[in-house]
Amino acid sequence: MNSPVVTVGIPLYNHADWLGETLESLLTQTFSDCRFIAVDDCSTDDSRQVVESYVAIDGRLSYECNSRRLGMIGNWRRCFEVARERYPNARYFAWASDHDLYHPRALEELVGQLDNHPEAVLAYSSHLKISETGEPRGQGGWKFDTAGITSRNKRFVETTWRMSAGNMIYGLFRSDALLKAGVFRKILLPDRFLIAEISLQGEFRQVRELLWYRRHEGVFSLGRQRQSLFGSKQPWWARIPWWISQPKALGWNLCIRGTGRPKVSRLYGFFYAYEYFFVSTILHFARGIRRFQKRHLPRYIDRAKEFFSGRSRDTAAGD
Amino acid sequence: MQDTPAKKQSTEFTEAVQHRIAALRNSVAFQNYEDVRNHVLRMKDLEAQRSETVLKPSAYWREELENFEYMLDAHPLIIDKLRHHSYHVTGLRVYDYRSNKDSVRELLAEKLEVLVKMGGHDLLVPEPRDMGGFGFEIEGQLYNIDTLKFYEVLIAMQRSSVLPDLRKPADRKLVWEIGAGWGGFAYQFKTICSNVTYVIMDFPELFLFSGTYLKTMFPEARVEFFDHGSLGKLLGQWRDIDFLFVPNTFLDDFSPDQVDLAINMVSFQEMTSDQVRAYVEKAHELQSPYLYSLNRDRSPYNRELLSVSNIIAERFLPRQIPVLPVSYPKMLNKLTKARGLRARLKKKKVTRPDYKHIVGCHRMTLNGKHIPGSTGEAAPSLGLPPGEASE
């Protein structure tokens, strides 16, 4: 069987309402040398029926269901495993969300980036957040890449400071690089960990146009992520703060297991792990401050205003 | 008896005017107008022979069209200042752009600056001074609401990855604008995407504006008008044509072998649901990969339309592209400019623009019908035959 250039894994879980539109936007890609593998993590809604109605009209799409619920990490890994088993020679791999929309030229543009830049391991586009009803949220157009940065260390530092892992993870990966980076490790914030690790292998390239429309539901929280990542069985290490567990895991991989060799020696691995710990700690606390500013500060200012205006009224009444 | 000085002066003026009119009568613009008018009259004759269609002008549009009936026999002075008369179509008047309106000019300049930050100078095409072009002078160029509206549309198309393909010089593309008004957007589009055949479908009377304007602004371009029996022949050689004008009532006969983009600005909202659906279905049938729309979901007074975006969604997957936080006719204000903590402290919700930039992407169909949920019917050849993936 001929191997496609791109395989796309679509992890499914209870998004039947939007799944039809998502599949349409994937199956109408202008880049057609690709296969789509939908892996259902035991959805309780109509996901299966929706996918099967599209499987009937386009043989590039296939469906399979896990025998038990694996959680997000397990299901994402399963998507990659199935893709590798069926199409071991496919050059590129991407995960596609089961509730987002893709521009028809999304794959064409991303494949073009990786084809034209052999030094790149990941290509992604700008995106627009949309609400459940499809209304845009914000202006979109977030920008970050490491194109042209040849120094591995500089690339790693830039990535750890500026990455937006939750968005970049839906980009198009060079399959071999993804495999070397451990795919999607069983750890809290696995996307962040993967993007950091894969940055050691090559550049990231971004297409500035909006080729991906990301449907947002609810607000991110680590508690919610713990539940969805690991399914019913949460491992004990999921309780360790990510800014401690991730550098530790990176050190383990690079220094002890030597997974970065020959490009990254064990000694350099130690420095990368240390650097990652330093940046993660600062980012963690900076995020805490930003969250406070965003969610709580306006409330406190309002209360202070009310307090002082009430006091001035009381004073006026007293006079 | 000798003429008094006053009488002599008045004669001089009359002679100067007559001389000017005679010169204008021989101008390229007026000759283009006369040519366009002949085509328009023939189109109207052909239209009259046709049976009733859903695309005939509504009562609202009949009234609008009557307002510029004088354009069927326009004086050379009118054609010389054609843009001053396009307020019938666009609503913009020269009066609003006089030099004493400094505060409005500042607001427009501010809006332009914000747009340039988003879109760069690459897509910016100012209003030409020819044919009575008007607007506020900003950095030596003319800009008005329409100029910025079209610029905004081009930015939305660029952001949504529609434009880059059309700007490639490699292969000729066909762009179909439904309702082009006075031809302003066609002018901007053709200026930045030169390797494009631009088809305008509209009420024939409006070609008096758009046809004359575009023919004059692009003197080298090949401009063709629909004529009896000619459409098939013209569409067969569309790659050699720059502008093609087709009356809207001949929608059924419009079948080029390729459409790369269908556009509608501010006229779907004025149509009935059936009319919008007819255009959307035609764009889908012609395999147009994109349908761009800048419309409100429904004009407040239009009771014959449900929702533009819902009708588009029947055949195209719609994506709304944000450009500015205000609709194109409005200027930015303090509230829309507030960002971050300041905006949150204001606690007032900024209303969303009611004109939406929507880019619709061609939807899949099964036997001509939209598919989700349907199974068991014969599969069209969208990709590989079913079952290949599981081999």
Side-chain angles (χ1 to χ4, degrees):
Chain A
M1 183 167 48
N2 288 338
S3 181
V5 173
V6 177
T7 48
V8 178
I10 314 168
L12 308 179
Y13 188 64
N14 283 349
H15 280 123
D17 289 350
W18 296 309
L19 187 54
E21 284 191 359
T22 301
L23 292 176
E24 272 192 57
S25 70
L26 287 169
L27 295 172
T28 50
Q29 289 292 310
T30 52
F31 184 86
S32 56
D33 192 7
C34 46
R35 300 290 182 277
F36 302 94
I37 299 150
V39 180
D40 192 348
D41 201 18
C42 307
S43 296
T44 50
D45 62 4
D46 294 336
S47 295
R48 182 187 194 115
Q49 287 85 334
V50 175
V51 179
E52 282 179 347
S53 68
Y54 286 90
V55 170
I57 59 164
D58 195 328
R60 295 174 306 165
L61 174 66
S62 64
Y63 172 86
E64 75 166 61
C65 188
N66 299 328
S67 52
R68 63 181 177 85
R69 177 137 164 72
L70 300 176
M72 194 179 150
I73 293 179
N75 201 29
W76 278 50
R77 289 182 69 89
R78 182 74 195 134
C79 284
F80 184 71
E81 278 164 21
V82 176
R84 286 297 281 190
E85 279 165 21
R86 288 191 193 163
Y87 311 105
N89 297 324
R91 286 206 301 276
Y92 308 131
F93 176 83
W95 284 287
S97 151
D98 61 353
H99 54 285
D100 294 348
L101 291 172
Y102 296 85
H103 192 282
R105 291 179 60 232
L107 279 181
E108 185 189 332
E109 290 287 330
L110 300 183
V111 168
Q113 290 291 328
L114 293 184
D115 278 351
N116 295 332
H117 302 280
E119 67 286 359
V121 288
L122 169 64
Y124 44 86
S125 71
S126 284
H127 70 279
L128 179 66
K129 286 181 192 170
I130 56 173
S131 68
E132 294 181 14
T133 53
E135 293 274 320
R137 284 183 174 177
Q139 287 289 306
W142 151 83
K143 286 176 193 166
F144 168 67
D145 64 22
T146 56
I149 304 178
T150 48
S151 153
R152 186 173 295 117
N153 185 44
K154 203 174 169 192
R155 232 171 27 223
F156 182 76
V157 173
E158 276 282 304
T159 305
T160 46
W161 275 112
R162 296 181 54 206
M163 75 166 113
S164 173
N167 299 319
M168 292 159 74
I169 198 73
Y170 289 99
L172 187 67
F173 290 89
R174 222 173 264 286
S175 299
D176 294 341
L178 183 58
L179 193 64
K180 198 169 164 55
V183 192
F184 216 54
R185 294 190 196 273
K186 290 173 184 166
I187 195 167
L188 206 55
L189 302 183
D191 45 1
R192 184 176 170 79
F193 190 72
L194 172 61
I195 299 294
E197 209 170 346
I198 208 168
S199 73
L200 294 170
Q201 296 189 44
E203 296 175 6
F204 300 156
R205 301 198 75 95
Q206 186 183 31
V207 179
R208 302 290 190 210
E209 288 135 29
L210 302 172
L211 300 177
W212 173 39
Y213 304 85
R214 191 171 187 194
R215 213 182 294 266
H216 263 246
E217 326 153 73
V219 184
F220 168 83
S221 82
L222 281 175
R224 229 183 90 189
Q225 195 178 72
R226 261 185 215 108
Q227 267 192 343
S228 64
L229 285 180
F230 302 100
S232 50
K233 281 185 185 172
Q234 285 186 27
W236 62 269
W237 65 82
R239 292 279 155 199
I240 302 174
W242 69 271
W243 47 280
I244 295 174
S245 65
Q246 289 208 353
K248 194 181 124 268
L250 191 68
W252 176 262
N253 287 337
L254 297 178
C255 304
I256 312 295
R257 292 175 61 210
T259 53
R261 289 189 306 165
K263 286 180 180 173
V264 182
S265 69
R266 290 177 197 271
L267 182 64
Y268 267 106
F270 173 77
F271 287 118
Y272 286 128
Y274 177 74
E275 216 164 21
Y276 193 60
F277 173 69
F278 176 73
V279 175
S280 303
T281 312
I282 292 178
L283 285 179
H284 173 70
F285 288 106
R287 268 182 203 156
I289 293 169
R290 271 211 303 274
R291 200 176 306 132
F292 173 78
Q293 266 193 343
K294 197 173 169 183
R295 293 191 195 159
H296 306 296
L297 191 59
R299 207 171 63 225
Y300 289 131
I301 290 174
D302 280 351
R303 275 190 199 166
K305 272 184 188 169
E306 273 168 31
F307 175 76
F308 284 113
S309 60
R311 215 168 67 161
S312 63
R313 266 202 307 275
D314 291 346
T315 316
D319 289 343
Chain B
M1 202 171 70
Q2 277 189 340
D3 286 346
T4 60
K7 200 172 177 183
K8 193 177 175 189
Q9 242 180 10
S10 124
T11 317
E12 267 176 20
F13 176 78
T14 311
E15 278 169 8
V17 169
Q18 280 169 350
H19 187 70
R20 183 158 173 254
I21 291 171
L24 287 176
R25 205 175 284 283
N26 290 322
S27 68
V28 176
F30 192 73
Q31 281 168 12
N32 285 339
Y33 160 74
E34 287 185 317
D35 182 38
V36 173
R37 183 179 57 186
N38 291 340
H39 284 292
V40 168
L41 292 173
R42 269 206 297 280
M43 284 178 197
K44 292 301 291 178
D45 287 340
L46 287 168
E47 255 189 10
Q49 294 165 17
R50 280 180 81 89
S51 53
E52 203 62 26
T53 92
V54 72
L55 296 163
K56 290 229 165 174
S58 59
Y60 165 82
W61 264 106
R62 276 200 300 276
E63 202 176 311
E64 288 291 311
L65 294 174
E66 277 167 18
N67 287 339
F68 54 88
E69 200 181 16
Y70 68 90
M71 283 298 296
L72 284 168
D73 189 14
H75 194 272
L77 285 169
I78 291 179
I79 300 305
D80 185 46
K81 295 271 191 289
L82 185 69
R83 284 286 288 115
H84 292 210
H85 295 263
S86 53
Y87 65 84
H88 290 293
V89 189
T90 186
L92 301 192
R93 291 167 190 272
V94 188
Y95 176 83
D96 298 321
Y97 292 88
R98 286 169 69 168
S99 52
N100 59 349
K101 311 233 170 187
D102 280 349
S103 57
V104 189
R105 185 192 164 283
E106 269 172 37
L107 288 171
L108 196 88
E110 193 179 42
K111 192 175 174 184
L112 174 65
E113 197 185 323
V114 173
L115 284 170
V116 169
K117 271 185 195 159
M118 295 182 83
H121 283 93
D122 202 22
L123 301 176
L124 180 61
V125 184
E127 167 96 9
R129 289 172 198 274
D130 311 74
M131 305 198 80
F134 61 90
F136 289 121
E137 185 130 358
I138 300 166
E139 292 175 4
Q141 303 280 10
L142 292 181
Y143 296 96
N144 55 46
I145 293 278
D146 268 358
T147 328
L148 298 199
K149 172 173 84 174
F150 301 144
Y151 183 37
E152 213 179 295
V153 171
L154 291 170
I155 291 172
M157 287 182 178
Q158 176 76 21
R159 295 194 81 199
S160 56
S161 197
V162 170
L163 212 49
D165 230 19
L166 298 166
R167 297 185 78 184
K168 285 178 189 160
D171 44 345
R172 189 81 169 177
K173 305 282 183 187
L174 189 145
V175 173
W176 171 34
E177 186 173 3
I178 302 154
W182 58 274
F185 184 70
Y187 168 78
Q188 291 211 355
F189 199 93
K190 188 72 181 166
T191 304
I192 62 160
C193 304
S194 53
N195 195 19
V196 149
T197 297
Y198 206 94
V199 180
I200 292 178
M201 185 170 278
D202 214 332
F203 296 123
E205 292 89 332
L206 288 166
F207 296 155
L208 294 167
F209 293 99
S210 53
T212 308
Y213 187 74
L214 292 169
K215 228 172 155 327
T216 311
M217 299 308 292
F218 294 96
E220 305 292 321
R222 182 175 166 195
V223 181
E224 294 286 352
F225 290 83
F226 167 85
D227 210 335
H228 182 62
S230 71
L231 190 58
K233 194 178 155 199
L234 289 171
L235 291 175
Q237 47 184 269
W238 66 263
R239 285 177 180 81
D240 302 323
I241 298 172
D242 289 296
F243 292 101
L244 174 61
F245 292 83
V246 182
N248 65 321
T249 43
F250 287 82
L251 176 67
D252 291 344
D253 302 346
F254 181 62
S255 52
D257 58 3
Q258 173 186 330
V259 172
D260 298 285
L261 171 65
I263 302 171
N264 178 266
M265 272 181 271
V266 203
S267 57
F268 274 171
Q269 62 183 38
E270 315 288 357
M271 297 181 191
T272 65
S273 291
D274 286 343
Q275 287 174 334
V276 177
R277 193 167 281 117
Y279 286 115
V280 171
E281 285 186 356
K282 187 71 180 180
H284 189 264
E285 181 195 317
L286 293 171
Q287 299 295 321
S288 174
Y290 307 108
L291 189 150
Y292 168 83
S293 149
L294 173 66
N295 283 285
R296 286 179 283 194
D297 263 344
R298 188 167 64 87
S299 280
Y301 55 84
N302 186 354
R303 293 180 182 188
E304 296 172 283
L305 176 66
L306 294 173
S307 156
V308 171
S309 39
N310 285 357
I311 296 174
I312 290 175
E314 290 170 9
R315 296 288 167 184
F316 290 83
L317 280 176
R319 280 99 162 156
Q320 193 182 330
I321 308 296
V323 181
L324 289 178
V326 290
S327 291
Y328 79 86
K330 293 181 183 162
M331 297 296 165
L332 300 170
N333 56 38
K334 278 183 186 168
L335 196 61
T336 53
K337 279 184 282 185
R339 285 186 182 279
L341 185 61
R342 203 175 132 218
R344 280 194 289 277
L345 286 173
K346 280 179 186 288
K347 265 195 164 176
K348 287 175 191 168
K349 281 198 173 170
V350 177
T351 51
R352 290 189 177 280
D354 45 0
Y355 284 91
K356 297 173 184 172
H357 295 277
I358 289 177
V359 174
C361 298
H362 196 274
R363 292 194 81 149
M364 295 167 77
T365 49
L366 181 65
N367 296 338
K369 288 179 182 172
H370 176 50
I371 40 167
S374 62
T375 48
E377 292 178 73
S381 56
L382 290 162
L384 294 170
E388 196 273 350
S390 55
E391 275 173 26

